Amino acid sequence: MAERVLVVGGVGREHALAWKLAQSPQVQQVLVAPGNAGTASCGKISNSEVSLSNHSILAQFCKDHHVGLVVVGPEVPLAADECIVDDLTAAGVPCFGSSAKAAQLEASKSFSKAFMERHGIPTARYASFRPAATSSTVDKALVVKASGLAAGKGVIVARDQDEACRAVMDIMKDRAFGSAGEEVVVEELLEGEEVSCLCFSDGHSVAPMPPAQDHKRLQDGDQGPNTGGMGAYCPTPQLPDQELLQQIRESVLHKTVDGMREEGTSYGGVLYAGLMLTNQGPKVLDFNCRFGDPECQPTSS
Ligand code: AMP
Ligand code: GLY
């Protein structure tokens, strides 16, 4: 049956999603809200000015315009107190994306580290803090992270104790990332190649996408600070090994979906595991509850 689909978001990720959805014979039209210049008018795709902040208006718009599916791109509307997926689902509008509870895996690094610890999911050793605290016993490189959402920029890879202490002060005292830095996670530095392993999940099964890699750090030779990702390629040659992929599927993706379900939070939507391939095996750097930007672009082509 031909359907109208509404994609929420406005970066390259949502353009790629709209482009792919428009190729389906089941899809009659794709609306993107707010969209961008690329999605303004392109075959079956056009932008919509519908309000994304008032979810009752949005739900009514979907009903009035026969929108059969809403696909949510970015993390903020998923993790918000008023989660778009929770509200639209309650209003009877089919929605693809995670619930607010499930989105905690991305919205709180402190939650996700404790979750991984509870379920034996491989990750870097860590500690999390609420009041600012610095330790004089630290003598090696550390990674300092604002626990909340910071558009991929709230992570400082510190080379020594001074830099780590400065990062804690920048985040907690000077509020470099606002309220996202009210809690800080400090973890051991992992070394290796980084890959993005994503899957679809209905809360029980997982359907992995091909692994991707994005370009994270500014400047030649990865010498600059982290960005949210400046380009990506997929599939990545770093994971040619089917056995390793199977290990990631079982020890990270499945374990996470099973663990969330056991804790009463069914995980539906896209689960994105950012991994470091260390010489002790793959370890989780973080989780996202959505498609990657820019990884979605090569993955969907
Ligand atoms: P996150 O938002 O936690 O994924 O961190 C953003 C980026 O910081 C990651 O993509 C890595 O490049 C880097 N990073 C995060 N945690 C670590 C770690 N424990 N060791 C090394 N690099 C890390
Ligand atoms: N490319 C990293 C992210 O989507 O979070």
Side-chain angles (χ1 to χ4, degrees), residues 81-119:
D81 287 341
E82 290 170 14
C83 166
I84 207 164
V85 173
D86 292 347
D87 289 349
L88 291 187
T89 306
V93 177
C95 210
F96 179 83
S98 58
S99 65
K101 273 189 158 177
Q104 282 183 97
L105 269 185
E106 173 167 7
S108 168
K109 290 188 192 295
S110 171
F111 172 90
S112 79
K113 295 296 286 190
F115 172 85
M116 286 189 265
E117 200 166 54
R118 286 197 292 281
H119 293 276

Side-chain angles (χ1 to χ4, degrees), residues 109 143 145 155 187-190 194 216 226 285-286:
K109 290 188 192 295
V143 182
K145 304 181 172 187
V155 172
E187 58 182 49
E188 67 176 319
L189 182 90
L190 297 179
E194 217 179 308
K216 275 263 155 61
N226 265 318
L285 295 171
D286 77 334

Side-chain angles (χ1 to χ4, degrees), residues 13 214 216 228-229 272 288 290-295:
R13 169 185 48 215
D214 71 338
K216 275 263 155 61
Y272 167 147
N288 297 319
R290 51 170 174 78
F291 290 97
D293 180 62
E295 290 95 322

Side-chain angles (χ1 to χ4, degrees), residues 4 40 49 53 77 79 81 86 108 137 152 169 179 202-203 232 252 259 263 281:
R4 188 169 281 147
E49 288 179 4
S53 53
D81 287 341
D86 292 347
S108 168
T137 57
M169 291 304 160
S179 59
D202 59 0
V252 175
E263 294 192 5

Side-chain angles (χ1 to χ4, degrees), residues 189-250:
L189 182 90
L190 297 179
E191 285 178 289
E193 280 287 340
E194 217 179 308
V195 292
S196 306
C197 287
L198 290 86
C199 68
F200 295 98
S201 181
D202 59 0
H204 289 268
S205 47
V206 302
M209 299 178 215
Q213 189 172 57
D214 71 338
H215 303 292
K216 275 263 155 61
R217 293 183 73 161
L218 276 178
Q219 299 170 9
D220 289 346
D222 280 346
Q223 295 303 306
N226 265 318
T227 68
M230 299 171 292
Y233 53 96
C234 171
T236 165
Q238 273 75 34
L239 266 178
D241 182 345
Q242 286 304 313
E243 231 174 83
L244 194 53
L245 274 174
Q246 187 61 20
Q247 184 188 335
I248 292 167
R249 181 187 173 130
E250 294 311 319

